[in-house]
Amino acid sequence: MTSPAEFDTVTARFEAIRAESGRTQDALVPRSIMRGIAAGISRAPTLRRTNPLKSHQQRDLWGQLADEATARPEHVGFVLLGDEGLRELAERLGARPTTLADRLAGWGRTRPRMLQAFHGRKVGGVAPLLAVQVPAATDLVLWAAVTRSTLDVVDGRFPHPLLVADAVERLAMLGTTGPVYETWPLLDDAVEDLGAAIARKGGEPPRRRLETGRKR
């Protein structure tokens, strides 16, 4: 089954960033950062004005979908499916196809949109599911790639992956991205500021992966 044009566009952006950095995909955006994105996306609905996840089953299903969307950095927030489409995704998530279809439709109607489903041309009156995108994951994989490819203007090093992981988890919870910081102290400050923003929304900031020991 072919991939959506939107997927091809964002993967091209990711590859351009990776090529310019001269590093592999996993070195640029390692697993620690992908786990941070997944963790933040899983908790993000709790900070919305109206939480769309009304049961443990829905929260679990959303968390599994977040894991699927962040399985590989080069997938850039997309879950690509084969010929079985919805049935394949339901099997991967351990859900009934009808239940999953309802959930995908509902999460696709939220504002801002929690996910985007892409369908192919109708065959026998049915449009097969090609892919599911979690837009927040797409934005944050690209943000992390740019951030990790930017050398610190003071010490000439790339930002520590655990510091970036702390940032992306908080950004994912807040449904936003940020600027690329030119020094790690600025990024460290941003992590603290994002935690404070989460607390103001009534949430609990996640525990940090990297304690720098730095005080403002």
Side-chain angles (χ1 to χ4, degrees), residues 47-48 57 68 80 96 102 116 121 137 182 187 189 206:
L47 298 184
R48 287 174 175 253
Q57 289 79 6
E68 288 284 338
L80 300 177
R96 295 179 180 177
D102 289 342
Q116 173 72 51
R121 293 182 178 180
E182 294 184 350
L187 182 57
D189 287 346

Side-chain angles (χ1 to χ4, degrees), residues 70-81:
T70 55
R72 294 289 307 160
E74 66 269 23
H75 293 170
V76 203
F78 280 76
V79 182
L80 300 177
L81 303 170

Side-chain angles (χ1 to χ4, degrees), residues 142-165:
L142 293 172
W143 182 87
V146 173
T147 300
R148 286 272 296 150
S149 66
T150 303
L151 290 172
D152 189 293
V153 297
V154 176
D155 64 16
R157 298 180 182 179
F158 296 110
H160 195 289
L162 294 183
L163 183 58
V164 178

Side-chain angles (χ1 to χ4, degrees), residues 5-139:
E6 291 83 354
F7 171 74
D8 298 335
T9 298
V10 294
T11 52
R13 288 176 59 193
F14 177 80
E15 176 56 24
I17 298 167
R18 187 214 61 76
E20 187 172 350
S21 74
R23 289 187 285 171
T24 65
Q25 298 155 345
D26 290 330
L28 183 62
V29 185
R31 187 62 195 144
S32 58
I33 293 176
M34 299 303 289
R35 284 197 296 264
I37 295 172
I41 288 171
S42 295
R43 296 177 62 188
T46 64
L47 298 184
R48 287 174 175 253
R49 186 169 297 175
T50 301
N51 185 351
L53 306 181
K54 297 177 173 60
S55 68
H56 171 75
Q57 289 79 6
Q58 291 182 39
R59 291 191 294 274
D60 183 62
L61 186 61
W62 175 248
Q64 289 185 67
L65 185 62
D67 288 341
E68 288 284 338
T70 55
R72 294 289 307 160
E74 66 269 23
H75 293 170
V76 203
F78 280 76
V79 182
L80 300 177
L81 303 170
D83 293 337
E84 290 296 312
L86 178 67
R87 192 173 298 277
E88 176 192 331
L89 183 58
E91 184 174 341
R92 285 161 67 172
L93 300 179
R96 295 179 180 177
T98 53
T99 299
L100 180 59
D102 289 342
R103 296 288 176 260
L104 295 180
W107 296 337
R109 290 193 295 266
T110 59
R111 293 292 180 269
R113 191 176 289 179
M114 291 167 62
L115 63 80
Q116 173 72 51
F118 296 92
H119 295 84
R121 293 182 178 180
K122 286 186 177 181
V123 178
V126 178
L129 184 65
L130 299 179
V132 174
Q133 178 196 17
V134 178
T138 298
D139 292 342

